[in-house]
Every structure is written in C-alpha cells, then in structure tokens.
Amino acid sequence: MSHFSDSPKVSTNTFMERRGVRKVDEIVGEAGCLWRETPMHDVGIDGQIEYVDTEGRATGRIVAVQIKAGPSYFSSRADGLVRFKPHVKHRNYWASFPLPVVVVLYHPDEHLAIWVDARHQLRENLDADLKVSESQRLTPSTVLDILSLDGDLPVLGFDPDGLLDEMLGQTNGSHGTSQSFFDLFFHGLTDLGHCLYFGMDLFSEIMREKDVHLEHQDEVLSWGSEDYDFLDRYVSFLLAHDLVRLDFDNLRRAAEDGMVGVFLAPLTHKGRALVKSANALDSEFFPSVSGGYRVLAQERLVRILFQDSGVRLLHIEQFKEAFRRHLKS
C-alpha cells in the first residue's frame, strides 16, 4: 500500500478558482488599477479593485468582486444571457454591502470573463437569479465602467478657491432664480455643517427664496429637463471631488424610476476642509460679523414633514395592541 493513499486531496475546483482570480488580476493590471485579493476570511468577496488615476495615484475608490470560474457557471446560458443563482447568504450579504459588488463569471475554455453589478440587481429583487449579459465582458476598458458604479471617478488634489469658483460657474441657466452648485452646497449644509442635504425640495425652496428675498419676480417658477440634468451633474460633482459619502446606488435606482433622489450624507474630510476654507474667506470679506457662527456656512434646518389626518397614528396604535395580543396568544 502506498504511503500516500491517505494524503489530503486537492479539488480541481481549487485550480479552477485560481485561474479565475489570476484572470481578473491580469485584466485589472492591464487597466492600470489595483487588484487586492482577500487574504483571509473570504465570506463572499474574493477581492477589491481600486481605481488608480492617470498619474498613478491611488484614489480610495473601491468596488468589491466575487469570482466564479468554470464551465458549470455557464450551463444556464440563452439569448446572450447567463443566469447565476447565488446562495441565500450571499444574496443578503451583497445587497447590504456598503460598496458596489460585482460578480465575475469566467469560462476558461472560451477565455470569456463577464460581469454584473450584483448589488444593484439584488436590491431590485433579492430572490431573482442574476442575469449576466455575455456582451458585458471584463476588459481593461470596462474596469473603469465597474469603478464608476459608485459615481464619477474621483479627481485628486484640493484647491479650495478653484473648487469654489467651479461651483459658482456650474448653473442651470441665467434666469433670475437660477442656481449653482455653490447654492445647492451651502444651502444644503446641516447637522452643524457636518452633513449635506439634497433633494428636489431643497432646489424648489432655494428658487422660492430667491424669488421673494431677491425680488427677481420670475414669471414662471418651474423646472424642466435642463434642471434635472443640472441636479444630476451636481451629484456627480460631489462624488468626483469626494466631498460627501453616500450610497450612489440608491440614487441610481431613483433615477431609473424617473425621480430625483434624496440624501442626507456626511461630508468627507475634503468636504469639511472646503467649508472651513469658505468660512475663512467669509471672515475676511465680512470682518464686522462677530462670533464663530458664520453667515455663509451655517447649517440649514432639515425637517421631514409628516402630514397625517390621524389615520396613520390610529392604525399604528391599533397595530401595537394587536401585536401585544399576538405575542400572548
């Protein structure tokens, strides 16, 4: 009897999985970005891709990746789609993950690697199979598409005067109640200036305030497609300059439903530095204003309006009583 008859065996799946990881590593490297494999405790994320800008600087923009390699994962392919059925534990994990989660399917015999935004699909329908298009191939160019799932790719560097000037220059027109990125940002500050609020109600309120207090008296206080485009560009600007931390996927899903998303997001270190720089300029421009509470970068009170005739309150009270009876039964 061989001395090695009871030695541990290595599954062929192990080698197949490594081929998939090496393929992703190769493609990400060709894109000039970083592949960072999970070294231990892999519970559904094989690694991360980090964006490196054209000057070779790491940016901190990261997406999570799970890799499935082998012909078996392509057994349910039809009409240009491959269906992948994740385990229940992975569905919940990926849908609630704080970063975009991309699943890569790799067919080694066909040298085919395709990908899907798993988090986005699962948030739409947690129980459905993932549908991966065979046309959505993982290539060096699509690595940047994947990294853009969390918003426009970031721009490094911090020039506060230049940033404020750019915010002033980005507007939705030249009419009396037009707004700029500057207006939305400084009107949207809340939580002692540590957070930023955004929503269509803020846009509308600034418009009304300008009309009343600046006496522009615009004939029509309304908005059109150029205003929606303006708001989309504003959110992209915040992300590209890393001024706030927010879940961009929620805004994506709102846009797909034809709505303007709403968020209350904390400012990043860069966002807080911008506010601090604006405060310093405010003190320089208006030295007679006393105290540390500046006029420019003060917080705006944000309230959620509850409009209820009492029906909701009564139903909630009834539910509480019914639930207590349910627990006792």
Side-chain angles (χ1 to χ4, degrees):
M1 179 179 295
S2 169
H3 293 295
F4 301 103
S5 59
D6 294 327
S7 296
K9 293 184 177 180
V10 179
S11 169
T12 55
N13 289 337
T14 300
F15 300 107
M16 190 69 71
E17 290 169 3
R18 294 309 306 167
R19 290 180 69 179
V21 171
R22 287 196 300 271
K23 186 64 176 179
V24 171
D25 188 4
E26 174 190 347
I27 293 173
V28 172
E30 289 178 10
C33 296
L34 295 175
W35 166 251
R36 188 176 295 110
E37 188 174 352
T38 303
M40 58 189 299
H41 304 310
D42 171 14
V43 292
I45 301 295
D46 287 319
Q48 300 172 338
I49 300 173
E50 180 172 355
Y51 175 56
V52 177
D53 72 7
T54 54
E55 297 184 15
R57 296 172 298 190
T59 63
R61 171 63 64 83
I62 294 172
V63 297
V65 181
Q66 177 75 4
I67 306 164
K68 297 295 182 182
S72 62
Y73 291 107
F74 289 78
S75 58
S76 300
R77 63 197 303 185
D79 300 324
L81 291 175
V82 178
R83 292 182 177 271
F84 172 61
K85 189 179 185 65
H87 293 298
V88 173
K89 60 183 180 182
H90 287 153
R91 293 175 185 273
N92 297 326
Y93 188 57
W94 295 341
S96 60
F97 209 72
L99 299 173
V101 177
V102 167
V103 167
V104 174
L105 303 182
Y106 177 56
H107 196 311
D109 298 334
E110 300 180 13
H111 303 288
L112 174 65
I114 56 179
W115 64 275
V116 66
D117 184 350
R119 185 179 71 163
H120 186 70
Q121 281 200 20
L122 290 171
R123 284 180 172 183
E124 292 289 343
N125 188 339
L126 192 63
D127 299 320
D129 293 348
L130 294 178
K131 297 177 181 179
V132 193
S133 172
E134 291 196 53
S135 65
Q136 196 155 274
R137 303 199 172 196
L138 183 67
T139 65
S141 61
T142 59
V143 167
L144 299 185
D145 295 334
I146 290 172
L147 287 160
S148 297
L149 293 174
D150 216 21
D152 282 11
L153 294 177
V155 177
L156 291 183
F158 181 57
D159 172 15
D161 285 0
L163 200 54
L164 292 172
D165 184 50
E166 185 177 354
M167 293 169 76
L168 284 168
Q170 293 285 349
T171 72
N172 64 328
S174 58
H175 48 86
T177 55
S178 65
Q179 296 177 44
S180 66
F181 290 177
F182 188 96
D183 292 315
L184 287 172
F185 185 84
F186 284 98
H187 279 288
L189 289 175
T190 188
D191 189 27
L192 297 178
H194 297 150
C195 290
L196 188 70
Y197 176 75
F198 170 79
M200 181 58 82
D201 56 337
L202 175 66
F203 178 76
S204 303
E205 186 62 25
I206 297 172
M207 184 187 297
R208 284 192 293 268
E209 288 178 358
K210 284 194 169 190
D211 190 54
V212 173
H213 297 293
L214 300 182
E215 299 181 347
H216 285 303
Q217 298 300 317
D218 277 6
E219 292 183 5
V220 180
L221 290 180
S222 62
W223 50 79
S225 59
E226 68 278 3
D227 298 307
Y228 288 101
D229 176 66
F230 165 72
L231 295 175
D232 287 341
R233 288 190 289 112
Y234 172 63
V235 174
S236 294
F237 175 86
L238 295 175
L239 291 168
H241 290 281
D242 191 31
L243 299 178
V244 295
R245 287 279 179 266
L246 59 86
D247 188 336
F248 184 66
D249 187 63
N250 279 326
L251 295 177
R252 284 176 60 202
R253 289 186 290 120
E256 289 173 1
D257 293 332
M259 301 174 60
V260 174
V262 176
F263 65 76
L264 179 60
L267 294 179
T268 61
H269 174 75
K270 192 174 178 181
R272 294 192 298 273
L274 181 65
V275 171
K276 185 177 180 179
S277 296
N279 275 339
L281 289 172
D282 197 17
S283 297
E284 179 184 334
F285 298 154
F286 307 101
S288 60
V289 179
S290 61
Y293 191 65
R294 302 307 309 166
V295 174
L296 173 65
Q298 61 181 293
E299 70 168 357
R300 188 184 193 94
L301 180 62
V302 176
R303 294 186 301 170
I304 299 176
L305 296 179
F306 293 97
Q307 296 178 336
D308 182 24
S309 61
V311 175
R312 181 192 299 271
L313 179 114
L314 290 175
H315 186 74
I316 289 176
E317 293 301 317
Q318 291 168 352
F319 180 88
K320 285 157 57 178
E321 290 299 322
F323 184 68
R324 292 189 186 102
R325 292 195 297 270
H326 166 74
L327 292 179
K328 292 178 181 179
S329 62

